[in-house]
Amino acid sequence: MTELIAVGGRQMTMHAASEGGREPIPSQHMDRERVDEWLTPKLHNWDICNQSASLKIFSNYIANLHLGTSLQDIFGFYKRLKATELCLGLPGGAEANENLAKSAVGNKRGFSETVDLMLILQSNKEGAVDLNNVASASKEKTLLKDPAKPPAKAQVVGWPPVRNYRKNIITQQKTSGKEEASSEKAGNSGGGASGAALVKVSMDGAPYLRKVDLKMYKSYQDLSDALAKMFSSFTMGNYGAQGMIDFMNESKLMDLLNSSDYVPSYEDKDSDWMLVGDVPWEMFVDSCKRLRIMKGVEAIGLAPRAMEKYCKNRS
Amino acid sequence: MSEDDEDQSPATDLRSQPPCSPNKSRNCISSSQTFPDHVLENVLENVLQFLDSRCDRNAASLVCKLWWKVEGLTRSEVFIGNCYALSPARLTQRFKRVRSLLLKGKPRFADFNLMPADWGANFAPWVSTMAKAYPWLEKVDLKRMFVTDDDLALLAESFPGFKELILVCCEGFGTSGIAVVANKCRKLKVLDLIESDVTDDEVDWVSCFPEDVTCLESLAFDCVEAPINFKALEGLVGRSPLLRKLRLNRFVSLEEVHRLLLLGAPQLTSLGTGSFSRGDQSQQEPPDYAAAFRACKSVVCLSGFRELMPEYLPAILPVCANLTSLNFSYANISPDMFKPIIHNCHKLQIFWALDSICDEGLQAVAATCKELRELRIFPFDPREDTEGPVSELGLQAISEGCRKLESLLYFCQHMTNAALIAMSHNCPELTVFRLCIMGRLRPDHVTGKAMDEGFGAIVKNCKKLTRLAVSGLLTDQAFRYMGEYGKLIRTLSVAFAGDSDMALRHVLEGCPRLQKLEIRDSPFGDVALRSGMHRYYNMRFVWMSACRLTMGCCKDVARAMPNLVVEVIGSDDDDVNRDYVETLYMYRSLDGPRKDAPQFVTIL
């Protein structure tokens, strides 16, 4: 049996961690109700306005629970959970879960209402969930059996099959005439995927991951457009003129973060989750390891200074 | 029996050497059985020396143990299509007098980021084994291998008579490795670096060639992304009287090419023109580039144009009439720039270009290049949703004008079945047909139907077809055609195609010569994989990524076929879903699974 645990990307305090006490720590083999029982009260106590906490603490916390998962896994599970309940119609109360998820979204500010905390246990005869297969199977179904609906045109890894060597040379020519475009040429570090900055993109609610090559884009706007196309059935928030989230304009930021629109967040080199748009583009390309597109409300925890103010105003 | 692998299928007993006792063969007085052997061996050696073709040699080695042994002694050129199909030790045990090695490593889909880095294909064990076994080694030709500077250094030191180094799509080394080779291989005739990833170690490797007259016949460094010492290059060209092929990188400007041509133009048969733009814009009067090209009386192959300044393109007009090979695939040329050039290239047989020449440019090619054998059109903008300057119109024109076409690689956004059907009738000599409709799952944009009939016509009418790559919207029907008509197909590339397992089954059951199968993102699963089990020992490799395979089935295949190495390559993250097989890469091997597999590779 495999467990899928879904939590919203929330900041937690160490206070919550130490509350664990002597209770039996859930393991992967525990059944759903018990894990549910154990985890729910902890999450209710998380203080979303505590700026000193970070998602790193959260991931350490979870790791210490011997669940054997990392933060990435949790987000991954969350994504897949969303997939199972919203898109694939798997048995086991999919509709009920869907309703729950929908009602939880975008309505309240309070953490406890917006955290989607659900546990679904999947079992299949081979002891592991073949979700990727199922996900891609359903994707295939929609793509092939329904020719009227065009497939989502995303930048797929390795397609079209043009070698990096050639792509890099052409990119060089496109962007600069004579200058040595050293940031765009084939990675000369000897070995490895030459020059591509491939990151995975997951979107809450989408049934599958995508990979994008950040070097294919020149600005946040380009990336934003591409992401919008990639997950075109979901709405994307507006970015403003340069494609960067306007940190200066707090009310705009608040609107964005409180809406049900999606914002992209990314995991940087230090494994911190940040809002996309807070650093210059080149720096972002260098430090971004992974992208996650989450609902505005859930990204609240990632915008530190603004949120602090917001919380203060609220309370 | 495979045509181009140096080793036979495992059915032939290669594990045991035939008993070969030197004493017996020298003892002429012994029983009558050994005496004929000894003479026969000598005769055979003399005869088999003349056998060049791999095919013939493989056949000869199967006659009997004696022939096997003698063939092994006389084979001087060895081709290994998959470096993991056997160990270096086996190579040196079987073949004693190898002078030339051609070795291929990673599967082709690794070029498209479908495989994490550091998968393997290391040259190191090969060079260290051969250093001891073949001190007379002269030629090494590697494709998609990981070669380090240390490997190159060892190569340079171990083989005093070394003559030819060719590295195609390789990586792991830098200019320092090249410098060692240039310096130590005094008999070097060929140094060809082609589409390889060469690190810039800031070493002036061109100056490392020996000071006296060199034996260089071919020097290709167009893929080296590092500036070079031009003075040293000039000196090198000046003291290389045998130089015929020179392919410069983009750090060589047009003025510098001009100077080089004035030095050594008449002997050159192949020229890679570097950037083809002016380095020094301050000069008022540009030199007469056309005069330099006029001096190139022997040039038949032209490439380069990495940063083309189109106003200078007409300088190449003097050589156009002689050209048999022209590579414009890094030059963003419009049809108007292109047409005046191509109108002169009557003898052209190989032509590579970007799709910026548009259908109009292709029509010009069709009108002039009646001898065309190979055409490759690459996309300037390799994305899925762009307009696309070439289409079925260009293809139709080519098929009508270039009847001798043998090899095609064509990237486009839109295609029709009609154009493919026309091509299948007009170009019966096609052996390689690779069409990439860049939008996935795109149907015929005129009729809205799948591309089945078009590809079906290609496999049916092009009776010499050995290599096929398909794209666009394809149902199982297309694969049914492939299985029924594709009797000579050896390499098949499939992406985002097919409806069900039946498609792959048609191919596995119907194409008897299939050697290399690469599939991605297609709905083929366990049933299909199992249906090919009778074939896999006769194939070089099978690649299936993002299909519907389960771990259980792959394990079954691995268990049932012990000489097949079944690699499951995970993506570089911690996906817990262990049953889904992201990438399957399997190949036959005489020496069992490799020992250097990285963590993300699971060998079943």
Side-chain angles (χ1 to χ4, degrees):
Chain A
M1 303 247 264
T2 309
E3 292 173 345
L4 299 178
I5 304 176
V7 294
R10 289 285 177 227
Q11 296 181 355
M12 293 172 56
T13 58
M14 283 309 283
H15 172 70
S18 61
E19 230 195 18
R22 297 278 160 249
E23 292 161 80
I25 295 171
S27 71
Q28 279 192 321
H29 303 290
M30 267 192 173
D31 65 0
R32 170 187 184 157
E33 285 78 46
R34 291 198 48 206
V35 184
D36 207 352
E37 240 178 306
W38 179 87
L39 201 48
T40 310
K42 288 179 184 16
L43 292 172
H44 277 293
N45 289 326
W46 293 347
D47 176 7
I48 75 167
C49 294
N50 187 329
Q51 297 312 311
S52 60
S54 72
L55 286 167
K56 244 187 193 158
I57 296 173
F58 172 59
S59 90
N60 286 339
Y61 173 63
I62 293 295
N64 287 333
L65 300 181
H66 306 290
L67 289 174
T69 59
S70 68
L71 186 61
Q72 264 175 281
D73 278 349
I74 289 174
F75 285 136
F77 292 153
Y78 178 63
K79 156 190 68 75
R80 271 181 245 157
L81 165 73
K82 286 291 196 181
T84 49
E85 65 191 20
L86 292 176
C87 301
L88 303 180
L90 289 179
E95 272 101 326
N97 287 335
E98 183 175 343
N99 291 335
L100 178 61
K102 279 194 172 150
S103 67
V105 155
N107 292 335
K108 308 282 183 66
R109 308 287 174 261
F111 174 80
S112 51
E113 287 88 357
T114 50
V115 163
D116 296 310
L117 177 63
M118 279 164 280
L119 294 163
I120 284 187
L121 297 175
Q122 283 276 350
S123 66
N124 75 34
K125 24 188 188 333
E126 298 185 51
V129 177
D130 197 3
L131 256 190
N132 279 343
N133 243 1
V134 182
S136 64
S138 89
K139 174 181 77 172
E140 296 295 347
K141 277 204 207 85
T142 49
L143 292 181
L144 294 173
K145 302 299 201 266
D146 185 9
K149 175 171 134 187
K153 294 293 184 186
Q155 289 281 353
V156 175
V157 174
W159 188 265
V162 176
R163 296 191 57 234
N164 281 333
Y165 176 71
R166 187 168 286 282
K167 263 194 210 164
N168 288 333
I169 287 177
I170 301 298
T171 312
Q172 229 168 46
Q173 289 184 10
K174 275 192 219 171
T175 56
S176 69
K178 299 290 289 169
E179 53 178 333
E180 329 279 67
S182 53
S183 59
E184 276 145 327
K185 69 184 175 194
N188 279 332
S189 44
S194 39
L198 292 168
V199 297
K200 291 191 183 167
V201 186
S202 65
M203 179 160 185
D204 297 358
Y208 44 83
L209 273 185
R210 285 290 182 194
K211 270 186 181 168
V212 291
D213 179 357
L214 290 179
K215 298 239 162 101
M216 296 282 293
Y217 308 105
K218 293 190 284 296
S219 68
Y220 282 113
Q221 193 58 54
D222 278 0
L223 177 64
S224 168
D225 291 343
L227 290 178
K229 260 198 252 178
M230 210 177 281
F231 299 100
S232 54
S233 46
F234 301 89
T235 56
M236 291 280 287
N238 285 320
Y239 273 98
Q242 287 164 329
M244 287 186 48
I245 296 175
D246 190 355
F247 282 90
M248 293 297 109
N249 185 344
E250 274 151 21
S251 57
K252 217 175 178 180
L253 180 62
M254 283 312 107
D255 287 344
L256 181 62
L257 294 177
N258 288 328
S259 68
S260 61
D261 281 347
Y262 286 72
V263 296
S265 61
Y266 73 101
E267 184 186 6
D268 71 359
K269 280 188 181 146
D270 306 311
S271 300
D272 292 327
W273 285 85
M274 324 268 280
L275 275 179
V276 167
D278 53 349
V279 298
W281 173 252
E282 285 74 25
M283 205 183 294
F284 167 72
V285 172
D286 275 331
S287 62
C288 172
K289 276 179 15 186
R290 212 178 158 129
L291 279 165
R292 179 186 161 202
I293 303 174
M294 52 171 83
K295 294 233 174 73
V297 279
E298 291 173 27
I300 282 175
L302 300 177
R305 201 182 55 242
M307 267 319 299
E308 189 175 31
K309 247 194 182 164
Y310 175 77
C311 287
K312 285 210 180 104
N313 292 341
R314 289 264 304 155
S315 56
Chain B
M1 184 183 69
S2 71
E3 285 181 351
D4 60 1
D5 278 13
E6 64 91 22
D7 50 310
Q8 319 305 311
S9 63
T12 313
D13 181 18
L14 284 173
R15 292 180 197 275
S16 60
Q17 292 265 9
C20 166
S21 66
N23 291 333
K24 253 185 159 179
S25 58
R26 275 192 215 118
N27 188 355
C28 299
I29 309 172
S30 66
S31 70
S32 57
Q33 275 182 331
T34 53
F35 181 69
D37 268 2
H38 175 63
V39 170
L40 195 52
E41 251 185 64
N42 279 334
V43 170
L44 261 183
E45 259 193 62
N46 283 315
V47 168
L48 288 182
Q49 267 176 168
F50 295 100
L51 268 189
D52 284 332
S53 127
R54 256 185 349 238
C55 230
D56 295 342
R57 283 191 158 268
N58 287 348
S61 67
L62 287 180
V63 169
C64 66
K65 282 190 175 168
L66 180 65
W67 281 54
W68 186 90
K69 175 188 155 207
V70 176
E71 194 281 315
L73 288 176
T74 56
R75 192 183 298 216
S76 61
E77 268 180 39
V78 174
F79 170 90
I80 301 178
N82 175 5
C83 64
Y84 286 123
L86 69 155
S87 67
R90 183 177 291 270
L91 168 71
T92 53
Q93 269 165 29
R94 177 162 171 194
F95 300 112
K96 299 294 183 189
R97 300 191 200 143
V98 174
R99 276 187 273 123
S100 157
L101 176 71
L102 201 158
L103 188 58
K104 295 191 183 180
K106 293 188 231 189
R108 198 178 71 97
F109 273 7
D111 289 349
F112 312 124
N113 298 332
L114 289 181
M115 188 184 249
D118 307 324
W119 172 80
N122 299 302
F123 183 50
W126 295 91
V127 66
S128 55
T129 309
M130 290 195 300
K132 300 182 204 108
Y134 306 139
W136 45 75
L137 193 71
E138 290 177 358
K139 175 176 171 183
V140 165
D141 184 336
L142 304 178
K143 187 165 188 181
R144 288 196 195 94
M145 296 285 299
F146 191 83
V147 184
T148 63
D149 291 323
D150 290 334
D151 298 336
L152 291 176
L154 184 59
L155 184 142
E157 280 158 21
S158 314
F159 308 119
F162 196 74
K163 292 189 181 148
E164 297 186 40
L165 180 65
I166 301 167
L167 300 175
V168 181
C169 302
C170 294
E171 59 180 358
F173 63 100
T175 45
S176 39
I178 304 300
V180 179
V181 172
N183 188 254
K184 300 232 172 114
C185 301
R186 300 265 144 170
K187 305 244 176 83
L188 197 65
K189 292 199 308 190
V190 173
L191 179 58
D192 280 353
L193 307 170
I194 299 170
E195 291 193 20
S196 293
D197 191 353
V198 184
T199 320
D200 179 8
D201 301 329
E202 293 178 17
V203 167
D204 180 6
W205 58 275
V206 183
S207 300
C208 293
F209 280 97
E211 299 267 320
D212 38 348
V213 171
T214 76
C215 317
L216 268 184
E217 295 175 17
S218 171
L219 179 63
F221 60 95
D222 39 356
C223 61
V224 176
E225 289 291 305
I228 51 146
N229 179 341
F230 180 70
K231 268 198 101 147
L233 182 64
E234 247 186 315
L236 180 66
V237 171
R239 60 182 194 276
S240 303
L242 300 172
L243 194 65
R244 297 287 171 270
K245 301 186 185 177
L246 182 62
R247 285 166 58 168
L248 308 164
N249 70 5
R250 65 180 180 90
F251 292 87
V252 180
S253 69
L254 204 44
E255 294 91 356
E256 291 170 339
V257 171
H258 179 255
R259 277 163 65 178
L260 286 175
L261 287 180
L262 293 178
L263 264 183
Q267 302 107 276
L268 284 181
T269 58
S270 170
L271 176 65
T273 57
S275 68
F276 215 86
S277 59
R278 289 191 57 189
D280 178 14
Q281 304 262 30
S282 62
Q283 264 186 303
Q284 294 303 90
E285 273 301 311
D288 186 1
Y289 299 124
F293 280 95
R294 257 194 298 276
C296 298
K297 304 240 185 277
S298 316
V299 163
V300 293
C301 172
L302 206 56
S303 61
F305 311 103
R306 291 297 169 108
E307 287 163 7
L308 174 70
M309 280 185 177
E311 59 268 35
Y312 296 113
L313 196 53
I316 69 168
L317 282 171
V319 300
C320 286
N322 294 330
L323 284 183
T324 56
S325 169
L326 177 58
N327 183 347
F328 271 157
S329 66
Y330 298 108
N332 183 16
I333 324 178
S334 68
D336 293 328
M337 284 181 232
F338 174 66
K339 289 198 290 194
I341 306 288
I342 201 70
H343 276 318
N344 297 289
C345 302
H346 299 277
K347 290 193 188 163
L348 209 58
Q349 293 182 19
I350 299 174
F351 180 56
W352 293 21
L354 286 180
D355 59 4
S356 56
I357 62 172
C358 301
D359 286 329
E360 206 182 323
L362 289 171
Q363 283 160 351
V365 173
T368 317
C369 308
K370 298 301 179 189
E371 298 296 317
L372 199 67
R373 303 282 193 275
E374 178 178 321
L375 176 68
R376 296 197 193 191
I377 301 296
F378 296 94
F380 179 67
D381 190 357
R383 289 183 295 178
E384 287 189 62
D385 290 332
T386 56
E387 249 317 295
V390 298
S391 67
E392 72 275 5
L393 295 172
L395 196 71
Q396 180 88 25
I398 292 287
S399 76
E400 286 164 10
C402 308
R403 297 300 177 104
K404 299 187 186 175
L405 198 66
E406 293 173 2
S407 172
L408 179 75
L409 170 61
Y410 197 82
F411 282 84
C412 60
Q413 292 287 352
H414 305 287
M415 188 47 62
T416 61
N417 283 309
L420 296 190
I421 294 171
M423 181 156 253
S424 75
H425 289 300
N426 292 335
C427 303
E429 302 296 317
L430 275 175
T431 54
V432 173
F433 187 81
R434 300 157 68 189
L435 177 68
C436 180
I437 302 170
M438 288 193 275
R440 286 167 288 148
L441 305 161
R442 264 203 201 137
D444 178 326
H445 81 106
V446 166
T447 65
K449 295 196 185 152
M451 294 300 298
D452 297 340
E453 295 307 311
F455 282 104
I458 292 286
V459 289
K460 187 171 170 189
N461 300 326
C462 300
K463 308 230 190 300
K464 301 186 183 177
L465 199 70
T466 56
R467 181 169 180 183
L468 179 65
V470 299
S471 58
L473 182 65
L474 291 169
T475 69
D476 288 353
Q477 180 60 37
F479 294 87
R480 193 169 292 129
Y481 287 137
M482 282 181 232
E484 193 178 335
Y485 298 110
K487 294 306 175 191
L488 294 181
I489 292 181
R490 292 188 42 226
T491 307
L492 180 63
S493 285
V494 176
F496 305 100
D499 295 327
S500 73
D501 285 335
M502 276 316 294
L504 184 54
R505 283 186 64 177
H506 287 309
V507 166
L508 286 171
E509 288 165 8
C511 301
R513 299 280 179 101
L514 193 63
Q515 288 288 301
K516 301 183 263 183
L517 181 59
E518 36 187 43
I519 301 176
R520 63 167 295 185
D521 292 273
S522 299
F524 307 142
D526 299 344
V527 172
L529 192 69
R530 282 189 224 273
S531 72
M533 279 171 62
H534 62 291
R535 297 294 317 275
Y536 299 136
Y537 278 155
N538 290 326
M539 293 174 67
R540 192 185 294 177
F541 70 79
V542 173
W543 167 292
M544 289 177 69
S545 60
C547 295
R548 304 227 184 126
L549 300 171
T550 64
M551 197 61 102
C553 175
C554 295
K555 284 186 182 153
D556 289 345
V557 172
R559 212 175 295 129
M561 306 183 74
N563 285 323
L564 200 68
V565 175
V566 179
E567 291 194 13
V568 172
I569 302 169
S571 52
D572 47 351
D573 78 343
D574 36 342
D575 257 330
V576 183
N577 193 340
R578 298 268 174 249
D579 195 47
Y580 172 64
V581 171
E582 172 77 39
T583 300
L584 168 74
Y585 179 54
M586 59 189 198
Y587 49 89
R588 62 187 167 190
S589 171
L590 290 173
D591 288 312
R594 58 189 177 117
K595 312 267 186 312
D596 62 355
Q599 226 191 345
F600 51 81
V601 170
T602 315
I603 299 185
L604 299 178

